[in-house]
Amino acid sequence: MAASLVEETFVRVVEIESSKSELKIHQSYIGDVGCVVWDAALVLSKYIDFVHSVECVKTDDCDGGLVAYASQLIKNIHSARAIELGAGTGAVGLLAASLGCQTTLTDLASLMPLLTKNIEENNLQEKASAAVLDWDDHADASLPQPDLLLVADCVYYVEALLPLLDTISALAGPKTAVLISYEDRESEVKQVLQKKFSEVLRKQFDVEEVPTQKMHPDYMADDIHILVARKKQ
Protein backbone atom coordinates (compact mmCIF):
# COMPACT_ATOMS: atom_id res chain seq x y z
CA MET A 1 0.00 0.00 0.00
CA ALA A 2 2.71 2.53 1.00
CA ALA A 3 4.67 2.24 -2.22
CA SER A 4 1.51 2.40 -4.33
CA LEU A 5 0.70 5.89 -3.02
CA VAL A 6 3.39 7.37 -5.24
CA GLU A 7 2.77 5.27 -8.35
CA GLU A 8 -0.08 7.44 -9.62
CA THR A 9 -0.15 11.01 -8.40
CA PHE A 10 -1.47 14.37 -9.51
CA VAL A 11 0.22 17.66 -8.68
CA ARG A 12 -1.10 20.76 -6.97
CA VAL A 13 1.03 23.86 -7.40
CA VAL A 14 1.16 26.22 -4.41
CA GLU A 15 2.57 29.67 -5.08
CA ILE A 16 4.83 31.13 -2.41
CA GLU A 17 4.45 34.87 -2.70
CA SER A 18 6.99 35.83 -0.06
CA SER A 19 9.80 34.06 -1.93
CA LYS A 20 8.37 34.39 -5.46
CA SER A 21 8.59 30.63 -5.95
CA GLU A 22 6.27 27.65 -5.88
CA LEU A 23 5.78 24.22 -4.40
CA LYS A 24 4.71 21.17 -6.38
CA ILE A 25 2.72 18.90 -4.10
CA HIS A 26 2.04 15.35 -5.29
CA GLN A 27 -1.31 13.97 -4.19
CA SER A 28 -2.35 10.34 -4.50
CA TYR A 29 -5.39 8.98 -6.30
CA ILE A 30 -5.62 6.23 -3.70
CA GLY A 31 -5.27 6.10 0.06
CA ASP A 32 -6.86 7.67 3.11
CA VAL A 33 -7.40 11.31 4.14
CA GLY A 34 -3.67 12.10 4.21
CA CYS A 35 -3.18 11.75 0.47
CA VAL A 36 -4.54 15.11 -0.70
CA VAL A 37 -4.10 18.78 0.24
CA TRP A 38 -7.17 19.78 2.25
CA ASP A 39 -8.46 23.34 2.27
CA ALA A 40 -7.51 23.92 5.92
CA ALA A 41 -3.91 22.94 5.14
CA LEU A 42 -3.83 25.33 2.19
CA VAL A 43 -5.23 28.16 4.32
CA LEU A 44 -2.61 27.56 7.02
CA SER A 45 0.17 27.39 4.42
CA LYS A 46 -0.89 30.64 2.83
CA TYR A 47 -1.27 32.28 6.26
CA ILE A 48 2.38 31.51 6.99
CA ASP A 49 3.37 32.81 3.56
CA PHE A 50 1.26 35.97 4.02
CA VAL A 51 2.58 36.79 7.50
CA HIS A 52 6.15 36.19 6.31
CA SER A 53 5.68 38.58 3.40
CA VAL A 54 4.02 41.60 5.03
CA GLU A 55 5.22 44.20 7.48
CA CYS A 56 3.26 45.20 10.57
CA VAL A 57 1.30 48.30 9.70
CA LYS A 58 -0.74 48.71 12.85
CA THR A 59 0.42 48.75 16.45
CA ASP A 60 -2.13 46.10 17.46
CA ASP A 61 -0.70 43.76 14.80
CA CYS A 62 2.74 43.90 16.39
CA ASP A 63 2.21 44.11 20.15
CA GLY A 64 1.00 41.44 22.55
CA GLY A 65 -1.13 38.35 22.22
CA LEU A 66 -0.54 34.87 20.90
CA VAL A 67 -1.28 35.74 17.28
CA ALA A 68 1.40 38.45 17.40
CA TYR A 69 3.79 36.02 19.12
CA ALA A 70 3.34 33.46 16.36
CA SER A 71 3.67 36.17 13.72
CA GLN A 72 7.11 37.11 15.03
CA LEU A 73 8.22 33.49 14.86
CA ILE A 74 6.94 33.26 11.29
CA LYS A 75 8.71 36.47 10.27
CA ASN A 76 11.95 34.90 11.55
CA ILE A 77 11.11 31.44 10.26
CA HIS A 78 14.52 31.02 8.62
CA SER A 79 16.01 30.56 12.09
CA ALA A 80 13.15 28.45 13.48
CA ARG A 81 12.49 24.74 13.83
CA ALA A 82 9.09 23.23 13.07
CA ILE A 83 7.30 19.90 13.32
CA GLU A 84 4.17 19.12 11.35
CA LEU A 85 1.80 16.53 12.81
CA GLY A 86 -0.34 14.39 10.52
CA ALA A 87 1.50 15.97 7.61
CA GLY A 88 -0.11 13.88 4.86
CA THR A 89 1.28 15.44 1.68
CA GLY A 90 3.41 17.81 3.75
CA ALA A 91 2.06 21.02 2.21
CA VAL A 92 2.26 23.15 5.36
CA GLY A 93 5.64 21.91 6.52
CA LEU A 94 7.13 22.13 3.05
CA LEU A 95 6.11 25.75 2.74
CA ALA A 96 7.81 26.45 6.07
CA ALA A 97 10.91 24.57 4.90
CA SER A 98 10.97 26.53 1.64
CA LEU A 99 11.26 29.72 3.72
CA GLY A 100 14.32 28.35 5.51
CA CYS A 101 12.72 26.63 8.51
CA GLN A 102 14.26 23.33 9.62
CA THR A 103 11.15 21.18 9.41
CA THR A 104 10.22 17.61 10.32
CA LEU A 105 7.15 16.24 8.57
CA THR A 106 5.55 13.46 10.61
CA ASP A 107 2.83 10.94 9.87
CA LEU A 108 2.23 7.20 9.80
CA ALA A 109 4.65 4.89 8.00
CA SER A 110 2.25 4.48 5.07
CA LEU A 111 2.63 8.18 4.19
CA MET A 112 6.44 8.24 4.18
CA PRO A 113 6.82 7.52 0.44
CA LEU A 114 4.50 10.41 -0.46
CA LEU A 115 6.19 12.80 1.96
CA THR A 116 9.63 11.80 0.70
CA LYS A 117 8.52 12.28 -2.91
CA ASN A 118 7.31 15.81 -2.14
CA ILE A 119 10.48 16.73 -0.28
CA GLU A 120 12.60 15.56 -3.22
CA GLU A 121 10.31 17.10 -5.85
CA ASN A 122 10.90 20.52 -4.26
CA ASN A 123 14.63 20.00 -3.56
CA LEU A 124 14.14 20.59 0.15
CA GLN A 125 16.25 17.72 1.49
CA GLU A 126 18.49 20.15 3.42
CA LYS A 127 15.58 21.77 5.24
CA ALA A 128 12.89 19.10 5.44
CA SER A 129 12.83 15.50 6.60
CA ALA A 130 10.10 12.90 7.04
CA ALA A 131 9.69 10.87 10.22
CA VAL A 132 7.21 8.26 11.38
CA LEU A 133 5.15 9.40 14.35
CA ASP A 134 2.22 7.41 15.68
CA TRP A 135 0.22 9.51 18.15
CA ASP A 136 -0.51 6.36 20.14
CA ASP A 137 3.21 5.80 20.61
CA HIS A 138 4.79 9.27 20.76
CA ALA A 139 6.70 8.67 24.00
CA ASP A 140 9.68 7.18 22.15
CA ALA A 141 9.82 9.91 19.52
CA SER A 142 13.24 11.55 19.48
CA LEU A 143 12.15 14.87 18.05
CA PRO A 144 13.65 18.25 18.95
CA GLN A 145 11.45 20.79 20.71
CA PRO A 146 10.00 22.98 17.95
CA ASP A 147 9.45 26.71 17.75
CA LEU A 148 6.39 26.00 15.59
CA LEU A 149 4.13 22.96 15.85
CA LEU A 150 1.90 22.72 12.77
CA VAL A 151 -1.42 20.87 12.93
CA ALA A 152 -3.63 21.14 9.83
CA ASP A 153 -7.06 19.48 9.76
CA CYS A 154 -6.05 16.63 12.04
CA VAL A 155 -9.21 16.51 14.19
CA TYR A 156 -11.05 13.89 12.17
CA TYR A 157 -11.28 10.52 13.90
CA VAL A 158 -12.77 10.02 17.38
CA GLU A 159 -10.19 7.41 18.37
CA ALA A 160 -7.32 9.72 17.44
CA LEU A 161 -8.50 12.77 19.41
CA LEU A 162 -6.86 12.18 22.79
CA PRO A 163 -3.66 10.70 21.32
CA LEU A 164 -3.34 13.84 19.16
CA LEU A 165 -3.82 16.11 22.15
CA ASP A 166 -1.29 14.10 24.17
CA THR A 167 1.21 14.36 21.32
CA ILE A 168 0.76 18.13 21.04
CA SER A 169 1.31 18.48 24.79
CA ALA A 170 4.38 16.23 24.75
CA LEU A 171 6.10 18.01 21.85
CA ALA A 172 5.27 21.62 22.68
CA GLY A 173 7.71 23.45 24.91
CA PRO A 174 6.94 26.60 26.91
CA LYS A 175 7.89 28.82 23.95
CA THR A 176 6.37 26.70 21.18
CA ALA A 177 3.60 28.29 19.11
CA VAL A 178 1.11 25.64 18.02
CA LEU A 179 -0.69 26.58 14.79
CA ILE A 180 -3.89 24.59 14.33
CA SER A 181 -6.20 24.88 11.32
CA TYR A 182 -9.52 23.16 10.84
CA GLU A 183 -12.66 23.35 8.75
CA ASP A 184 -16.19 23.37 10.16
CA ARG A 185 -17.97 20.13 9.28
CA GLU A 186 -21.70 19.54 8.79
CA SER A 187 -21.55 16.18 10.56
CA GLU A 188 -22.75 16.40 14.16
CA VAL A 189 -20.11 13.85 15.16
CA LYS A 190 -17.34 16.04 13.72
CA GLN A 191 -18.77 19.14 15.42
CA VAL A 192 -18.78 17.41 18.79
CA LEU A 193 -15.25 16.15 18.14
CA GLN A 194 -13.94 19.63 17.35
CA LYS A 195 -15.64 21.07 20.44
CA LYS A 196 -14.08 18.42 22.67
CA PHE A 197 -10.66 19.03 21.09
CA SER A 198 -10.92 22.75 21.88
CA GLU A 199 -12.10 22.14 25.45
CA VAL A 200 -9.28 19.72 26.28
CA LEU A 201 -6.66 21.86 24.53
CA ARG A 202 -7.62 24.93 26.58
CA LYS A 203 -6.99 23.09 29.84
CA GLN A 204 -3.23 23.15 29.17
CA PHE A 205 -2.86 25.90 26.56
CA ASP A 206 -3.79 29.52 26.14
CA VAL A 207 -5.54 29.82 22.78
CA GLU A 208 -6.34 32.65 20.38
CA GLU A 209 -8.08 32.48 17.02
CA VAL A 210 -6.51 34.30 14.09
CA PRO A 211 -8.98 36.89 12.76
CA THR A 212 -9.88 36.33 9.13
CA GLN A 213 -8.62 39.82 8.27
CA LYS A 214 -5.12 38.68 9.24
CA MET A 215 -5.22 35.68 6.92
CA HIS A 216 -4.26 35.74 3.25
CA PRO A 217 -7.11 37.66 1.57
CA ASP A 218 -7.40 35.09 -1.23
CA TYR A 219 -7.09 32.05 1.04
CA MET A 220 -9.58 32.48 3.85
CA ALA A 221 -13.15 31.42 4.51
CA ASP A 222 -15.65 31.83 7.33
CA ASP A 223 -15.72 28.05 7.88
CA ILE A 224 -11.94 27.59 8.12
CA HIS A 225 -10.22 28.58 11.34
CA ILE A 226 -6.64 29.01 12.53
CA LEU A 227 -5.85 28.80 16.22
CA VAL A 228 -2.62 29.78 17.94
CA ALA A 229 -1.91 27.93 21.18
CA ARG A 230 0.88 28.17 23.74
CA LYS A 231 1.31 26.24 26.98
CA LYS A 232 -0.03 28.03 30.02
CA GLN A 233 2.83 29.73 31.83
Side-chain angles (χ1 to χ4, degrees):
M1 167 66 86
S4 63
L5 289 181
V6 296
E7 289 176 0
E8 291 189 41
T9 63
F10 58 104
V11 173
R12 180 163 194 168
V13 176
V14 179
E15 294 184 0
I16 310 173
E17 296 169 47
S18 59
S19 62
K20 295 180 173 58
S21 59
E22 64 181 26
L23 290 174
K24 293 181 179 178
I25 306 295
H26 287 268
Q27 305 173 92
S28 180
Y29 285 106
I30 62 173
D32 203 355
V33 294
C35 298
V36 296
V37 179
W38 293 95
D39 288 345
L42 185 60
V43 168
L44 181 55
S45 298
K46 295 301 293 184
Y47 170 69
I48 294 171
D49 182 27
F50 183 62
V51 170
H52 188 257
S53 66
V54 300
E55 297 293 332
C56 293
V57 293
K58 297 179 181 178
T59 301
D60 61 357
D61 287 338
C62 304
D63 297 334
L66 293 179
V67 173
Y69 177 73
S71 295
Q72 287 305 117
L73 289 174
I74 292 170
K75 288 180 183 298
N76 295 288
I77 201 167
H78 59 278
S79 59
R81 183 178 293 276
I83 295 173
E84 183 178 5
L85 298 182
T89 63
V92 182
L94 287 171
L95 189 138
S98 75
L99 298 178
C101 184
Q102 199 67 46
T103 307
T104 305
L105 312 173
T106 70
D107 212 312
L108 298 175
S110 60
L111 272 299
M112 291 301 106
L114 188 59
L115 282 172
T116 301
K117 185 179 182 73
N118 282 328
I119 291 171
E120 294 174 351
E121 173 69 37
N122 294 284
N123 296 314
L124 288 170
Q125 294 93 322
E126 292 186 4
K127 288 295 181 179
S129 60
V132 175
L133 180 61
D134 187 332
W135 301 337
D136 284 313
D137 191 27
H138 62 77
D140 295 329
S142 55
L143 295 171
Q145 193 172 95
D147 302 293
L148 294 166
L149 188 56
L150 310 172
V151 187
D153 221 359
C154 288
V155 182
Y156 203 80
Y157 294 122
V158 173
E159 60 271 20
L161 180 68
L162 293 181
L164 170 60
L165 285 159
D166 287 344
T167 303
I168 291 172
S169 181
L171 293 179
K175 295 183 178 181
T176 300
V178 186
L179 300 182
I180 303 163
S181 67
Y182 67 94
E183 183 175 357
D184 292 333
R185 310 289 184 185
E186 294 183 0
S187 162
E188 184 177 350
V189 172
K190 294 294 191 291
Q191 292 174 8
V192 170
L193 194 62
Q194 186 61 54
K195 182 179 179 181
K196 183 175 181 181
F197 174 85
S198 181
E199 289 173 349
V200 177
L201 180 72
R202 291 170 189 271
K203 291 179 181 179
Q204 295 187 56
F205 290 79
D206 294 314
V207 180
E208 283 184 17
E209 182 166 353
V210 176
T212 53
Q213 63 266 29
K214 292 189 178 182
M215 298 182 193
H216 192 293
D218 297 328
Y219 294 89
M220 49 79 68
D222 290 338
D223 63 344
I224 296 180
H225 309 269
I226 299 176
L227 305 179
V228 179
R230 187 180 179 188
K231 275 189 172 176
K232 294 180 183 292
Q233 304 298 303

Short mmCIF file of all heavy atoms in Angstrom, two decimals, residues 1 5 27-38 88-89 107-108 110-111 114 156-157 159:
data_model
loop_
_atom_site.label_atom_id
_atom_site.label_comp_id
_atom_site.label_asym_id
_atom_site.label_seq_id
_atom_site.Cartn_x
_atom_site.Cartn_y
_atom_site.Cartn_z
N MET A 1 0.83 -1.21 0.00
CA MET A 1 0.00 0.00 0.00
C MET A 1 0.86 1.25 0.00
O MET A 1 0.64 2.18 -0.76
CB MET A 1 -0.94 -0.01 1.21
CG MET A 1 -1.62 1.35 1.48
SD MET A 1 -2.76 1.87 0.18
CE MET A 1 -4.23 1.04 0.71
N LEU A 5 1.15 4.50 -3.14
CA LEU A 5 0.70 5.89 -3.02
C LEU A 5 1.41 6.81 -4.00
O LEU A 5 0.86 7.83 -4.40
CB LEU A 5 0.92 6.41 -1.59
CG LEU A 5 0.04 5.86 -0.47
CD1 LEU A 5 0.40 6.51 0.85
CD2 LEU A 5 -1.43 6.08 -0.79
N GLN A 27 -0.20 14.55 -4.92
CA GLN A 27 -1.31 13.97 -4.19
C GLN A 27 -1.61 12.60 -4.81
O GLN A 27 -1.36 12.40 -6.00
CB GLN A 27 -2.55 14.86 -4.28
CG GLN A 27 -2.29 16.29 -3.80
CD GLN A 27 -3.48 17.20 -4.05
OE1 GLN A 27 -4.34 17.35 -3.19
NE2 GLN A 27 -3.55 17.79 -5.23
N SER A 28 -2.14 11.70 -4.02
CA SER A 28 -2.35 10.34 -4.50
C SER A 28 -3.82 10.10 -4.84
O SER A 28 -4.72 10.57 -4.15
CB SER A 28 -1.90 9.33 -3.45
OG SER A 28 -2.10 8.02 -3.91
N TYR A 29 -4.03 9.35 -5.91
CA TYR A 29 -5.39 8.98 -6.30
C TYR A 29 -5.99 7.95 -5.35
O TYR A 29 -7.21 7.79 -5.29
CB TYR A 29 -5.40 8.41 -7.72
CG TYR A 29 -5.23 9.45 -8.81
CD1 TYR A 29 -4.03 9.56 -9.49
CD2 TYR A 29 -6.27 10.31 -9.14
CE1 TYR A 29 -3.87 10.51 -10.50
CE2 TYR A 29 -6.13 11.26 -10.14
CZ TYR A 29 -4.92 11.36 -10.82
OH TYR A 29 -4.77 12.29 -11.81
N ILE A 30 -5.14 7.26 -4.63
CA ILE A 30 -5.62 6.23 -3.70
C ILE A 30 -5.14 6.56 -2.30
O ILE A 30 -4.28 7.42 -2.11
CB ILE A 30 -5.14 4.83 -4.11
CG1 ILE A 30 -3.60 4.77 -4.06
CG2 ILE A 30 -5.65 4.46 -5.48
CD1 ILE A 30 -3.06 3.37 -4.28
N GLY A 31 -5.72 5.90 -1.31
CA GLY A 31 -5.27 6.10 0.06
C GLY A 31 -6.32 6.80 0.90
O GLY A 31 -7.43 7.10 0.45
N ASP A 32 -5.94 7.10 2.13
CA ASP A 32 -6.86 7.67 3.11
C ASP A 32 -6.81 9.20 3.05
O ASP A 32 -6.30 9.79 2.10
CB ASP A 32 -6.50 7.15 4.51
CG ASP A 32 -7.66 7.22 5.48
OD1 ASP A 32 -8.73 7.76 5.12
OD2 ASP A 32 -7.51 6.75 6.62
N VAL A 33 -7.26 9.85 4.12
CA VAL A 33 -7.40 11.31 4.14
C VAL A 33 -6.09 12.06 4.00
O VAL A 33 -6.07 13.24 3.67
CB VAL A 33 -8.12 11.77 5.43
CG1 VAL A 33 -9.55 11.27 5.44
CG2 VAL A 33 -7.37 11.29 6.67
N GLY A 34 -4.95 11.42 4.26
CA GLY A 34 -3.67 12.10 4.21
C GLY A 34 -3.08 12.26 2.83
O GLY A 34 -1.99 12.81 2.69
N CYS A 35 -3.78 11.82 1.81
CA CYS A 35 -3.18 11.75 0.47
C CYS A 35 -3.47 12.94 -0.42
O CYS A 35 -3.05 12.98 -1.57
CB CYS A 35 -3.62 10.47 -0.23
SG CYS A 35 -3.08 8.98 0.63
N VAL A 36 -4.23 13.91 0.08
CA VAL A 36 -4.54 15.11 -0.70
C VAL A 36 -4.32 16.35 0.17
O VAL A 36 -4.22 16.26 1.40
CB VAL A 36 -5.99 15.10 -1.22
CG1 VAL A 36 -6.20 13.96 -2.20
CG2 VAL A 36 -6.99 15.01 -0.06
N VAL A 37 -4.24 17.51 -0.48
CA VAL A 37 -4.10 18.78 0.24
C VAL A 37 -5.50 19.29 0.56
O VAL A 37 -6.26 19.68 -0.33
CB VAL A 37 -3.35 19.83 -0.61
CG1 VAL A 37 -3.24 21.15 0.16
CG2 VAL A 37 -1.97 19.32 -1.00
N TRP A 38 -5.85 19.29 1.83
CA TRP A 38 -7.17 19.78 2.25
C TRP A 38 -7.16 21.29 2.37
O TRP A 38 -6.12 21.93 2.53
CB TRP A 38 -7.56 19.13 3.58
CG TRP A 38 -7.78 17.66 3.46
CD1 TRP A 38 -6.88 16.66 3.70
CD2 TRP A 38 -8.97 17.01 3.01
NE1 TRP A 38 -7.43 15.44 3.44
CE2 TRP A 38 -8.71 15.61 3.02
CE3 TRP A 38 -10.22 17.47 2.62
CZ2 TRP A 38 -9.67 14.68 2.64
CZ3 TRP A 38 -11.19 16.54 2.24
CH2 TRP A 38 -10.91 15.16 2.26
N GLY A 88 0.53 14.29 6.11
CA GLY A 88 -0.11 13.88 4.86
C GLY A 88 0.80 14.12 3.66
O GLY A 88 1.83 13.48 3.50
N THR A 89 0.44 15.07 2.83
CA THR A 89 1.28 15.44 1.68
C THR A 89 2.44 16.34 2.07
O THR A 89 3.38 16.51 1.31
CB THR A 89 0.44 16.19 0.62
OG1 THR A 89 -0.04 17.42 1.19
CG2 THR A 89 -0.72 15.34 0.13
N ASP A 107 4.10 11.63 10.12
CA ASP A 107 2.83 10.94 9.87
C ASP A 107 3.07 9.45 10.05
O ASP A 107 4.16 9.03 10.49
CB ASP A 107 2.29 11.26 8.47
CG ASP A 107 0.76 11.26 8.44
OD1 ASP A 107 0.16 10.31 8.96
OD2 ASP A 107 0.18 12.22 7.90
N LEU A 108 2.09 8.65 9.70
CA LEU A 108 2.23 7.20 9.80
C LEU A 108 3.18 6.68 8.73
O LEU A 108 3.45 7.36 7.73
CB LEU A 108 0.86 6.55 9.66
CG LEU A 108 -0.18 6.92 10.73
CD1 LEU A 108 -1.52 6.30 10.40
CD2 LEU A 108 0.29 6.50 12.12
N SER A 110 2.83 4.61 6.41
CA SER A 110 2.25 4.48 5.07
C SER A 110 2.37 5.76 4.24
O SER A 110 2.31 5.72 3.01
CB SER A 110 0.78 4.07 5.17
OG SER A 110 0.04 5.04 5.89
N LEU A 111 2.53 6.91 4.91
CA LEU A 111 2.63 8.18 4.19
C LEU A 111 4.07 8.59 3.88
O LEU A 111 4.28 9.59 3.19
CB LEU A 111 1.96 9.29 5.02
CG LEU A 111 0.45 9.52 4.83
CD1 LEU A 111 0.12 9.92 3.39
CD2 LEU A 111 -0.37 8.34 5.26
N LEU A 114 5.07 9.19 0.11
CA LEU A 114 4.50 10.41 -0.46
C LEU A 114 5.20 11.65 0.08
O LEU A 114 5.52 12.58 -0.68
CB LEU A 114 3.00 10.47 -0.17
CG LEU A 114 2.21 11.59 -0.86
CD1 LEU A 114 2.33 11.49 -2.39
CD2 LEU A 114 0.74 11.53 -0.45
N TYR A 156 -10.18 14.57 13.13
CA TYR A 156 -11.05 13.89 12.17
C TYR A 156 -11.63 12.59 12.70
O TYR A 156 -12.80 12.30 12.49
CB TYR A 156 -10.25 13.63 10.88
CG TYR A 156 -11.11 13.46 9.67
CD1 TYR A 156 -11.64 14.56 9.00
CD2 TYR A 156 -11.42 12.19 9.18
CE1 TYR A 156 -12.45 14.40 7.88
CE2 TYR A 156 -12.22 12.02 8.05
CZ TYR A 156 -12.73 13.13 7.41
OH TYR A 156 -13.54 12.98 6.31
N TYR A 157 -10.82 11.81 13.40
CA TYR A 157 -11.28 10.52 13.90
C TYR A 157 -11.41 10.55 15.43
O TYR A 157 -10.51 11.04 16.12
CB TYR A 157 -10.30 9.41 13.51
CG TYR A 157 -10.22 9.17 12.02
CD1 TYR A 157 -9.01 9.29 11.34
CD2 TYR A 157 -11.35 8.81 11.29
CE1 TYR A 157 -8.93 9.06 9.97
CE2 TYR A 157 -11.28 8.58 9.93
CZ TYR A 157 -10.06 8.70 9.27
OH TYR A 157 -10.01 8.48 7.92
N GLU A 159 -11.20 8.18 17.65
CA GLU A 159 -10.19 7.41 18.37
C GLU A 159 -8.82 8.08 18.38
O GLU A 159 -7.97 7.73 19.20
CB GLU A 159 -10.08 6.00 17.77
CG GLU A 159 -9.68 5.97 16.31
CD GLU A 159 -10.85 6.03 15.34
OE1 GLU A 159 -11.96 6.47 15.76
OE2 GLU A 159 -10.67 5.64 14.18
#
